[in-house]
Amino acid sequence: WKCAHHLNATTVVSRWRLPSVRMQLSDAVVYRYWQGLVEFKSNHWKAAEEHLSFAFLSTPAKYYKQRRCALWRLIPARLALCLEMKFAIGNEKLFRDFKMMELGEISKAFIQGNVCLFEQNLRDHQELYVKKEIFLPLTKLRMLLHRNLLKRAHLVIQRVRGTSSRILLSDICQVVNAGGWKVDQEELECILSLLIRNGKVKGKLDPTRGAVMFPTEKSPFPRLLDRMG
């Protein structure tokens, strides 16, 4: 499994299927760990979380390094899902015990919606994240972070005005800036355009009026259980 994974994770390992026989726990842990890596690299976050959680929880505490390897992928996978599913990411003690405080800091920034701390952490620990092969998945979290802040802004404006079918970009900027995300209207328009194009937000930009039109019959922020690309 390890050799095949390094040769070609998506087209070799993902096609392998073990016979349906009862495996020993040690064999099952190895199988689920490498299958979790395949799902992780394929951006299948829900499947990756299930496999890696099994590997992490089923590995005895004395195998510290093996559990730590699973955590490096398990935490980003859970972060990708936590906004839609109530996953427990991990407390400070977990990150401290496994000497992963960098990942703990970026997890906290993501959950709190702190864009400044999130970006600062990515810059400060880029070399480490690249070495652990999680830098690109973490950068993909950026769009989910932006989406969640826009969702909060949408709810705030809806409560204040009673309607949210047409919202000025300047109003959204004002709300997210007050929340700590320093973004100008031009950048916000680009981010919204990407989110709409990728199906993460339902709406239509109106550049001439500097506004965005949201649907009223359904939520403009659909569930994203297993997508983060």
Side-chain angles (χ1 to χ4, degrees), residues 126-168:
Q126 178 176 347
E127 185 175 347
L128 172 65
Y129 295 150
V130 170
K131 181 180 178 181
K132 297 298 182 181
E133 299 181 354
I134 62 170
F135 181 71
L136 286 179
L138 287 177
T139 59
K140 291 179 181 179
L141 289 174
R142 180 186 290 123
M143 294 305 291
L144 290 183
L145 177 58
H146 293 165
R147 177 187 182 272
N148 195 43
L149 292 175
L150 291 171
K151 183 178 181 179
R152 295 180 190 177
H154 177 267
L155 291 174
V156 169
I157 296 173
Q158 186 178 45
R159 288 173 182 173
V160 171
R161 296 185 176 177
T163 180
S164 58
S165 59
R166 177 177 174 270
I167 300 178
L168 295 176

Side-chain angles (χ1 to χ4, degrees), residues 14-54:
S14 61
R15 294 178 184 175
W16 287 18
R17 293 294 182 270
L18 293 181
S20 55
V21 296
R22 187 176 182 84
M23 291 186 288
Q24 293 184 357
L25 180 60
S26 58
D27 294 329
V29 168
V30 173
Y31 168 74
R32 296 289 292 272
Y33 172 75
W34 288 106
Q35 189 63 39
L37 290 192
V38 172
E39 302 293 356
F40 184 82
K41 290 198 172 185
S42 300
N43 294 353
H44 299 154
W45 312 113
K46 190 171 185 294
E49 194 281 332
E50 291 173 354
H51 288 299
L52 293 171
S53 285
F54 178 89

Side-chain angles (χ1 to χ4, degrees), residues 14 19 51 53-54 65 103 112 119 130 160 196-197 213:
S14 61
H51 288 299
S53 285
F54 178 89
K65 291 183 178 179
L103 204 56
Q112 292 180 346
E119 296 294 344
V130 170
V160 171
I196 292 172
R197 186 177 64 184
M213 308 295 293

Side-chain angles (χ1 to χ4, degrees), residues 77-91:
R78 285 188 170 182
L79 286 174
L81 296 168
C82 72
L83 297 181
E84 300 292 338
M85 306 173 71
K86 302 303 181 181
F87 275 114
I89 304 303
N91 54 33

Side-chain angles (χ1 to χ4, degrees), residues 58-69:
S58 302
T59 302
K62 64 180 180 179
Y63 296 107
Y64 174 84
K65 291 183 178 179
Q66 288 79 359
R67 301 188 82 205
R68 192 168 184 263
C69 284

